[in-house]
Amino acid sequence: MTLSEYEAWLQSRGVRLIDKKDSGFSKLLDRLVRIVTFGAQKNFMTRYATTIGRTVYLPDNWRTRSEASRHITLRHEAVHVAQFERYTVVGASLIYLLPFFPLGLAYGRARLEWEAYAETFRATAELCGEAAAKDPALRERVVKQFTTGAYGWMWPFPGQVNAWIDEVLEDL
């Protein structure tokens, strides 16, 4: 399935794709995320797609990314859409924000993100080849998402994140 076909499929399921720069809600979230991460997450608007319910908010650099990168990101975000469907907006939001702590040991957020990042590795393998999915640079980027301020230091155990990655790569 091409990127445009995948976007059409998402939209046929009621998923909306919105530019963050056009969203007051995204601008508010950007301010809040900067505050709670003590400025560590300063790329929320420019580099990160964000999904809430059936809406995917796209970052400022979206149209400059390669088609494969956008396709992989949308597959990751589609996992979040499914999570919101499974747990409801309120339930998924509570899982994402609370258990155990909002910062530093956010197991709920880590598990939701891990499910989506597993899809990132699978999509990378399908669209760019198994070598791309096993590229140490991709692994390092994902580990940093979990262990740095990017997601509020949600899971500060790089060994555990690497073990999760190993499990997915074994199944490719």
Side-chain angles (χ1 to χ4, degrees), residues 15-64:
V15 175
R16 298 181 318 143
L17 304 175
I18 296 177
D19 290 330
K20 280 186 173 183
K21 68 181 184 317
D22 298 331
S23 166
F25 178 68
S26 290
K27 292 172 186 174
L28 173 64
L29 280 180
D30 178 51
R31 284 189 227 101
L32 291 172
V33 167
R34 285 174 188 259
I35 291 167
V36 300
T37 64
F38 310 104
Q41 175 46 283
K42 57 185 177 278
N43 299 309
F44 177 81
M45 292 292 285
T46 57
R47 291 184 31 210
Y48 289 86
T50 304
T51 297
I52 299 177
R54 294 181 154 280
T55 303
V56 179
Y57 298 91
L58 305 172
D60 294 348
N61 74 354
W62 185 251
R63 282 162 188 71
T64 63

Side-chain angles (χ1 to χ4, degrees), residues 20-169:
K20 280 186 173 183
K21 68 181 184 317
D22 298 331
S23 166
F25 178 68
S26 290
K27 292 172 186 174
L28 173 64
L29 280 180
D30 178 51
R31 284 189 227 101
L32 291 172
V33 167
R34 285 174 188 259
I35 291 167
V36 300
T37 64
F38 310 104
Q41 175 46 283
K42 57 185 177 278
N43 299 309
F44 177 81
M45 292 292 285
T46 57
R47 291 184 31 210
Y48 289 86
T50 304
T51 297
I52 299 177
R54 294 181 154 280
T55 303
V56 179
Y57 298 91
L58 305 172
D60 294 348
N61 74 354
W62 185 251
R63 282 162 188 71
T64 63
R65 292 181 181 188
S66 71
E67 185 170 313
S69 173
R70 288 182 284 157
H71 198 152
I72 291 163
T73 299
L74 286 178
R75 286 191 42 188
H76 173 112
E77 298 305 321
V79 170
H80 291 312
V81 169
Q83 291 166 338
F84 278 106
E85 290 171 350
R86 184 175 30 197
Y87 301 118
T88 74
V89 171
V90 171
S93 297
L94 289 173
I95 291 168
Y96 199 86
L97 295 172
L98 296 179
F100 299 119
F101 303 103
L103 297 173
L105 194 59
Y107 183 76
R109 182 175 331 131
R111 291 311 298 175
L112 292 176
E113 283 299 339
W114 174 245
E115 187 179 341
Y117 275 107
E119 182 61 18
T120 295
F121 282 100
R122 286 189 291 271
T124 300
E126 290 174 24
L127 296 167
C128 303
E130 194 172 313
K134 293 181 176 180
D135 185 334
L138 175 57
R139 176 186 288 263
E140 180 181 349
R141 183 173 61 84
V142 171
V143 170
K144 283 183 177 180
Q145 298 308 302
F146 282 80
T147 61
T148 69
Y151 284 83
W153 305 274
M154 68 181 158
W155 200 245
F157 307 109
Q160 181 66 55
V161 179
N162 275 299
W164 291 339
I165 293 170
D166 289 341
E167 289 176 19
V168 169
L169 294 179

